[in-house]
Amino acid sequence: MADDLSAPKTTMPKTRMQVSEARPVRFRGGGFRPARRRWLGPLVFVVLIALAEWGTRSGWIGNLTLPRPSDVASTLWEMALSGRLWLHLAPSLTRLFVGATLGVSAGIAVGLLIGLFTYARAALVPLVAALFPIPKIALLPLFVIWFGIDEMSKYALIAFGTFTPTVVATYGAVDNVDRTLIRMGQSFGLSWHSIVRKIVLPGAMPGILSGLRISLAIAVILLVAAEMLGAEYGIGAFILEAGSLYDLERLFAGVTILSLLGVTISFALGLVEAKLLNWRS
Amino acid sequence: MELSLRNVSHAYGETQVLDDISLRVPAGQISCIVGPSGCGKSTLLRLIGGLERPTEGEILQLGNPPAGCLNPLTYVFQDFALLPWRTAEGNVRLVLEEHRLTYSEVKEITYDVLGRTSLLEFRDVLPKNLSGGMKQRVAIARALAVKPAVMLMDEPLSALDAQTRELLMEDLVRLWLRTPFTSVYVTHNLAEAVRLGHRVVVLSRRPGRIRETVDISLPLDQRDRGNPMLADIENHLWDIMRDEAAEADQELVHGG
Ligand SMILES: Nc1ncnc2c1ncn2[C@@H]1O[C@H](COP(=O)(O)OP(=O)(O)O)[C@@H](O)[C@H]1O
Ligand SMILES: [Mg+2]
């Protein structure tokens, strides 16, 4: 550095050349930009599970505190082989799918209405705000009276639970659609329908999808709760039964299934986002 | 088709934005509107395009739009207004899908306008991967696709850097020379106005009134950069605008 600075010897005034010492400019940028490290997430799981395995084997963790991960795994494996896994998983997945589909599609529809129409907004926003904080699980007895003890009440609970967050996410997303794009559509004489379908909906998609992440997590929680309160089969019923018998291995097997379900949903949503939102910079 | 504005005034609530504007937009010519920032240029363009109604006065279309015209009054926006989820070609198709055109007609028009704006090889590129200048060319291609009777351009080059602006100005001149179009071209850049305008309308600061209308007879293809005649006109325009701009700068911003 010092050499570079003093290179044009003839033109450089003497005082400049006597600059005390040269040092590199201190770097102050960087950070605030989490990058992707694909391996780190799985590694955290592996380390935690290995720790639990080692702890339970060495007796450092009592076997009433935590079941041995390898035992949980073999329980899961047995369940898979005997078909009991599917016996519980199938009804749960059906409930989740039917309930969430109903709730999310109704939520997007109502969210769009609120986002597009003055009167719908004025009429429905307070209602949604009143419904949002109700712990939906508290309404299960009511749903049982309305829809019967079996599947319908569970669908209704999950649908209702996913409905409100989807509404809020959707109309927020519609509000955030770039108005100049809508003006552009109008200026080219696009019909109202085309504007909604080709400009508003795609523009709101990022917000709707991130709302979907929250809605689906809520759906899993409500699913388990509903199954705990009254179901013969289902992950929730399975966990409840294992818990009441203090069968920690099966309890954790059930919890593991739920975690895997959560990870799968999140991964699938990630794929959908990558496909639908590839236009985002 | 020509446009005629008769005694157009506009106010937003208490704020008078435009005051008694009478103007004729002749066919086949580019009419530039210049004026200090906030004087109501964009508002005037929205009124002309039918996106807002003037509080007073009327805006008339004289004659019929040319045959094959799909959208007589067509905008080109300062911030491009491209759908980010559609490719260059998709953005052009957007405005054609609205009309009863056969598949091959849509294809033909799309390729024609993308070709005229030298975008054919970028037709499958999403806006996020296009430079500012290319984005605006896509927007111009989209506007050309509907064969407008009048192109309403609101500072179409203001979001671009100086070099790109220069290139796009040349593109616009070439497009006009190839097929003369009618345009109302709003800008605050006097150099753009004298390069592209067959006439330049100078607005005063808010409330915008017409201060002066300058006709420039020099053909577009002879207006090179640094042409002394254009420089004189530009200086003249600047003399008119200088005080207005200075005073507009001193005003407080109300509302927004
Ligand atoms: N929708 C609106 N509501 C209220 N005031 C507005 C609206 N649009 C523009 N204005 C006001 O009108 C004046 C002119 O705005 P605009 O036409 O955008 O000016 P320009 O394009 O010449 O810079 C500004 O003072 C602006 O604040
Ligand atoms: Mg403006």
Side-chain angles (χ1 to χ4, degrees), chain A residues 67 75 238-239 241-253:
Chain A
T75 308
F238 174 76
I239 291 178
E241 188 192 289
S244 57
L245 298 173
Y246 283 89
D247 186 341
L248 288 194
E249 272 136 38
R250 286 174 57 200
L251 179 77
F252 269 78

Side-chain angles (χ1 to χ4, degrees), chain B residues 12 17 36-43 46 52 155 206 254 256:
Chain B
Y12 288 112
V17 178
S37 145
C39 76
K41 303 183 295 293
S42 299
T43 308
R46 284 199 296 274
E52 280 181 54
E155 309 212 14
R206 204 184 66 211
H254 300 287

Side-chain angles (χ1 to χ4, degrees), chain A residues 42-249:
Chain A
L43 188 69
V44 171
F45 279 103
V46 170
V47 166
L48 283 179
I49 291 169
L51 214 62
E53 183 75 27
W54 171 74
T56 44
R57 274 182 196 277
S58 68
W60 171 62
I61 301 174
N63 58 356
L64 269 182
T65 316
L66 206 67
R68 201 173 283 174
S70 55
D71 288 345
V72 174
S74 61
T75 308
L76 267 176
W77 183 240
E78 276 164 27
M79 282 175 67
L81 286 185
S82 68
R84 275 177 63 77
L85 177 68
W86 190 241
L87 191 68
H88 288 290
L89 199 53
S92 289
L93 289 181
T94 313
R95 288 167 192 147
L96 195 64
F97 180 77
V98 174
T101 306
L102 288 175
V104 165
S105 31
I108 291 178
V110 172
L112 273 180
L113 288 181
I114 292 179
L116 293 173
F117 297 108
T118 310
Y119 281 96
R121 167 165 310 220
L124 295 177
V125 167
L127 183 65
V128 171
L131 293 179
F132 207 179
I134 299 177
K136 308 298 178 299
I137 198 71
L139 296 180
L140 185 60
L142 189 66
F143 285 161
V144 169
I145 297 172
W146 286 357
F147 300 109
I149 184 76
D150 40 66
E151 299 306 299
M152 265 325 274
S153 60
K154 297 180 180 66
Y155 295 160
L157 183 75
I158 295 172
F160 192 38
T162 50
F163 173 74
T164 36
T166 309
V167 171
V168 173
T170 304
Y171 84 72
V174 172
D175 286 351
N176 276 330
V177 174
D178 191 349
R179 296 292 119 168
T180 57
L181 293 183
I182 294 177
R183 274 254 188 279
M184 181 277 293
Q186 290 174 324
S187 79
F188 277 96
L190 266 63
S191 67
W192 185 88
H193 266 106
S194 296
I195 290 177
V196 172
R197 194 159 54 84
K198 296 173 185 172
I199 300 178
V200 175
L201 256 185
M205 205 41 90
I208 294 177
L209 284 181
S210 58
L212 211 56
R213 276 185 191 277
I214 298 170
S215 305
L216 291 184
I218 292 176
V220 173
I221 294 171
L222 288 176
L223 166 77
V224 174
E227 288 177 342
M228 283 183 161
L229 288 177
E232 197 179 346
Y233 296 109
I235 307 295
F238 174 76
I239 291 178
L240 186 72
E241 188 192 289
S244 57
L245 298 173
Y246 283 89
D247 186 341
L248 288 194
E249 272 136 38

Side-chain angles (χ1 to χ4, degrees), chain A residues 183, chain B residues 10-13 15-18 35-46 52 78 154-155 186 188 203 206 251-256:
Chain A
R183 274 254 188 279
Chain B
H10 194 69
Y12 288 112
T15 330
Q16 187 74 22
V17 178
L18 290 169
S37 145
C39 76
K41 303 183 295 293
S42 299
T43 308
L44 184 62
L45 215 56
R46 284 199 296 274
E52 280 181 54
Q78 176 176 353
D154 191 358
E155 309 212 14
V186 163
H188 62 252
L203 294 188
R206 204 184 66 211
E251 276 175 10
L252 295 177
V253 176
H254 300 287

Side-chain angles (χ1 to χ4, degrees), chain B:
Chain B
M1 192 181 94
E2 296 191 0
L3 292 177
S4 168
L5 281 68
R6 294 199 187 143
N7 311 100
V8 170
S9 298
H10 194 69
Y12 288 112
E14 296 286 283
T15 330
Q16 187 74 22
V17 178
L18 290 169
D19 187 19
D20 197 26
I21 305 272
S22 293
L23 184 68
R24 210 175 148 81
V25 180
Q29 292 195 1
I30 300 179
S31 303
C32 284
I33 296 180
V34 296
S37 145
C39 76
K41 303 183 295 293
S42 299
T43 308
L44 184 62
L45 215 56
R46 284 199 296 274
L47 296 177
I48 296 177
L51 291 180
E52 280 181 54
R53 289 197 188 94
T55 38
E56 273 172 60
E58 50 186 3
I59 296 165
L60 304 172
Q61 297 183 9
L62 308 179
N64 290 321
C69 169
L70 300 174
N71 189 47
L73 303 171
T74 297
Y75 280 88
V76 175
F77 299 87
Q78 176 176 353
D79 52 7
F80 324 130
L82 299 179
L83 300 187
W85 47 87
R86 284 188 178 229
T87 60
E89 183 180 347
N91 268 287
V92 174
R93 278 174 181 269
L94 172 79
V95 299
L96 297 173
E97 286 163 5
E98 208 58 24
H99 302 277
R100 288 175 190 220
L101 298 171
T102 64
Y103 180 79
S104 60
E105 278 171 327
V106 169
K107 192 162 177 145
E108 193 183 322
I109 297 175
T110 311
Y111 276 56
D112 172 47
V113 294
L114 287 176
R116 272 153 74 190
T117 46
S118 339
L119 284 166
L120 266 184
E121 54 184 309
F122 302 106
R123 60 181 182 275
D124 295 326
V125 181
L126 286 172
K128 69 170 176 181
N129 296 325
L130 292 171
S131 69
M134 285 210 256
K135 282 185 205 163
Q136 193 57 294
R137 270 159 42 207
V138 175
I140 292 169
R142 175 178 65 188
L144 293 173
V146 292
K147 300 199 173 61
V150 182
M151 285 237 256
L152 306 172
M153 310 177 89
D154 191 358
E155 309 212 14
L157 308 185
S158 295
L160 305 174
D161 62 74
Q163 291 84 11
T164 315
R165 199 180 305 163
E166 200 64 42
L167 291 174
L168 241 88
M169 252 192 275
E170 288 170 12
D171 284 350
L172 282 174
V173 168
R174 219 168 313 148
L175 278 172
W176 188 89
L177 290 172
R178 200 171 137 171
T179 359
F181 52 86
T182 314
S183 174
V184 182
Y185 187 106
V186 163
T187 178
H188 62 252
N189 182 320
L190 298 180
E192 272 172 43
V194 295
R195 281 285 290 287
L196 295 171
H198 295 92
R199 62 163 37 168
V200 181
V201 180
V202 186
L203 294 188
S204 68
R205 73 196 156 91
R206 204 184 66 211
R209 294 190 189 92
I210 295 185
R211 279 289 308 266
E212 192 167 329
T213 305
V214 178
D215 285 300
I216 307 179
S217 51
L218 193 67
L220 283 196
D221 51 350
Q222 291 169 28
R223 301 190 187 181
D224 343 299
R225 259 162 68 81
N227 181 313
M229 180 178 160
L230 295 185
D232 284 348
I233 299 174
E234 192 177 332
N235 285 334
H236 173 65
L237 292 174
W238 175 233
D239 286 340
I240 308 172
M241 264 184 70
R242 158 175 238 132
D243 300 333
E244 300 285 347
E247 279 178 55
D249 187 49
Q250 297 294 319
E251 276 175 10
L252 295 177
V253 176
H254 300 287

